[in-house]
Amino acid sequence: MKTVLCYGDSNTYGYNPSNGFRYPENVRWTGRLQSALGDDYKIIEEGCNGRTTIFDDPLEGWKNGLGYLRPCLNSHKPVDIVIMMLGSNDLKETFRASAQQIANGAATLVHVIQDFTAEKQGFVPHIILVSPPEIGEDICNSSFYGSFRENAITRSREFSKWYRMAAEEYDCIFFDAAAHIKPSKEDSLHLSPEGHAVLAQELAKVVCGIP
């Protein structure tokens, strides 16, 4: 059995933009991925609302993705595959980060995964570096407007370029989520059930292609 660690933010957690609660397991892309892959794989859900790559939230510093990464890897080892989808929250106004800086933050996490697992479990897992979906054009009408502004749309459209470069540099599998899914119309940030279904379907193809 292969262990697949899904490390991400609210779209990995399964935040429901319609009511602010959590989608059921059979709706979340992680749960759907488990169903698609079957008993030969074990999906570990590690999604946290508001998680960043390497930035400290001024109000909730524990949402920095770097701080929890090593304990997470150690708890679930041996890990065969890591699917990492982070960066959307880095677009918040408070961080003032460019798409390149955000991709660099994701690359820092990839480097940590590689170094830490080489030491602690004796081998490096395959890493699927996911470039997050774009911010929706109606963000100005979202309940999250203020934390995110219109400039987040433009920067999110640059993710694919910089994440691809990071994946190539660190020998990861690159996956462009924006090529397959868009955020919901409810808040321009979080995925609809249909988005979760498509993401699971496409990631299952990638995972099945790993020897």
Side-chain angles (χ1 to χ4, degrees):
M1 178 182 291
K2 292 184 178 180
T3 296
V4 183
L5 174 64
C6 302
Y7 195 70
D9 53 29
S10 52
N11 275 325
T12 298
Y13 169 82
Y15 181 94
N16 184 338
S18 296
N19 56 26
F21 295 117
R22 191 181 192 185
Y23 285 126
E25 183 177 356
N26 65 348
V27 174
R28 303 193 295 267
W29 70 263
T30 45
R32 290 174 180 269
L33 183 62
Q34 179 68 77
S35 296
L37 295 175
D39 294 338
D40 290 337
Y41 295 83
K42 180 181 180 181
I43 302 299
I44 304 293
E45 296 180 302
E46 283 288 358
C48 176
N49 295 338
R51 179 177 283 153
T52 65
T53 57
I54 61 171
F55 295 103
D56 284 325
D57 187 294
L59 298 178
E60 298 176 301
W62 53 272
K63 291 188 175 182
N64 183 325
L66 180 58
Y68 181 60
L69 183 55
R70 291 181 181 90
C72 179
L73 291 166
N74 200 57
S75 294
H76 298 300
K77 68 176 188 267
V79 176
D80 301 287
I81 300 169
V82 177
I83 301 175
M84 189 175 75
M85 185 170 70
L86 284 171
S88 296
N89 289 302
D90 300 43
L91 293 167
K92 289 179 178 179
E93 283 293 292
T94 189
F95 302 125
R96 299 189 178 278
S98 68
Q100 182 179 8
Q101 289 172 321
I102 295 169
N104 288 343
T108 296
L109 299 185
V110 168
H111 184 61
V112 169
I113 293 169
Q114 293 173 334
D115 279 2
F116 188 78
T117 54
E119 175 188 354
K120 296 298 184 181
Q121 65 178 36
F123 68 94
V124 176
H126 296 278
I127 301 172
I128 303 172
L129 180 58
V130 180
S131 175
E134 296 174 358
I135 302 299
E137 294 184 0
D138 202 30
I139 190 66
C140 62
N141 293 317
S142 171
S143 59
F144 292 94
Y145 187 68
S147 294
F148 298 86
R149 293 193 179 275
E150 288 85 351
N151 62 67
I153 302 171
T154 304
R155 286 180 288 146
S156 71
R157 291 173 179 170
E158 299 175 6
F159 273 165
S160 179
K161 170 188 174 181
W162 296 109
Y163 274 68
R164 184 184 297 274
M165 291 174 63
E168 290 175 353
E169 180 178 355
Y170 286 93
D171 195 26
C172 300
I173 299 168
F174 173 71
F175 182 87
D176 184 6
H180 304 282
I181 57 174
K182 295 182 178 180
S184 66
K185 294 181 180 179
E186 279 88 352
D187 68 6
S188 294
L189 284 172
H190 297 100
L191 302 180
S192 65
E194 293 76 18
H196 278 271
V198 172
L199 183 59
Q201 174 184 310
E202 297 301 324
L203 282 173
K205 296 175 185 177
V206 178
V207 172
C208 288
I210 297 174

